[in-house]
Amino acid sequence: MVLLTNKGIEIQRPAFRSNDLRRHNLALVAHEVAARGGSSRGEIAAATGLTKGTVTVLVQELQRLGLLVELGSQADGRVGRPRRALGLDGEHHCGIGLELNVDYTAVCVADLLQRVRFHRVEAVDNRGVSPAEVLNRSARLTATALEAAEAKGLSVAGAGVAVPGMVRVA
């Protein structure tokens, strides 16, 4: 983490935890599948630098979590066993995006295959409105998105918020 202090720039390294590496590797494998689509375990191992055994264990965990699915065996013209392609599971998990802007608030539910499953925009002037009121409006809109996701049988795997301009944390 980089901090700007009255003494200049200061770099702080966060303490390493044993789960950090596992989470990083899980994200690495999921990202590789998302980026390539239809990747085999061997292709993921080659692209990430992880061993095939490590990739196999990570893929099993991602499958158990319902994030990856087998797309089936695909012969690729090489000698040996056909490769088993992996893909993201777009039928069970989704993410929610919330955008707070000066003249509207929007929410979107997208599955892991980046298909928009719900979208709503509310034209509202957020200038000069108290942060509590903007957050209350946003919470109501997000609740609508959560209900839509649930109605479609989707489990929310994550959420993100976009805010224009500079943000005062206080």
Side-chain angles (χ1 to χ4, degrees):
M1 178 175 11
V2 178
L3 299 174
L4 185 58
T5 68
N6 58 356
K7 296 179 185 175
I9 294 177
E10 192 177 302
I11 297 177
Q12 291 183 340
R13 298 188 187 269
F16 178 77
R17 294 183 294 250
S18 60
N19 281 338
D20 291 344
L21 182 59
R22 182 165 193 76
R23 281 191 207 120
H24 174 269
N25 287 343
L26 284 166
L28 190 62
V29 169
H31 176 68
E32 190 62 31
V33 171
R36 292 174 178 249
S39 297
S40 70
R41 288 163 180 79
E43 292 165 337
I44 294 167
T48 60
L50 299 170
T51 66
K52 287 182 185 179
T54 298
V55 168
T56 296
V57 170
L58 295 170
V59 163
Q60 287 171 345
E61 185 167 345
L62 291 167
Q63 286 176 314
R64 186 178 51 75
L65 293 169
L67 299 173
L68 292 185
V69 292
E70 296 260 353
L71 299 176
S73 297
Q74 299 174 346
D76 57 5
R78 294 185 289 187
V79 176
R81 204 177 332 163
R83 68 195 266 291
R84 293 186 312 188
L86 298 162
L88 293 176
D89 182 355
E91 299 306 318
H92 299 99
H93 297 284
C94 68
I96 293 182
L98 176 68
E99 182 180 4
L100 307 175
N101 217 311
V102 294
D103 55 357
Y104 68 91
T105 302
V107 68
C108 177
V109 175
D111 65 26
L112 298 183
L113 298 176
Q114 300 178 14
R115 298 177 298 195
V116 174
R117 306 294 279 286
F118 175 83
H119 183 247
R120 178 159 301 154
V121 178
E122 289 187 356
V124 59
D125 190 354
N126 287 319
R127 290 174 274 245
V129 177
S130 74
E133 187 175 338
V134 173
L135 290 174
N136 285 334
R137 286 181 194 160
S138 302
R140 284 192 300 274
L141 193 56
T142 302
T144 304
L146 287 168
E147 289 169 6
E150 185 178 330
K152 295 177 187 301
L154 297 168
S155 172
V156 177
V161 179
V163 182
M166 302 296 290
V167 177
R168 286 192 336 220
V169 177

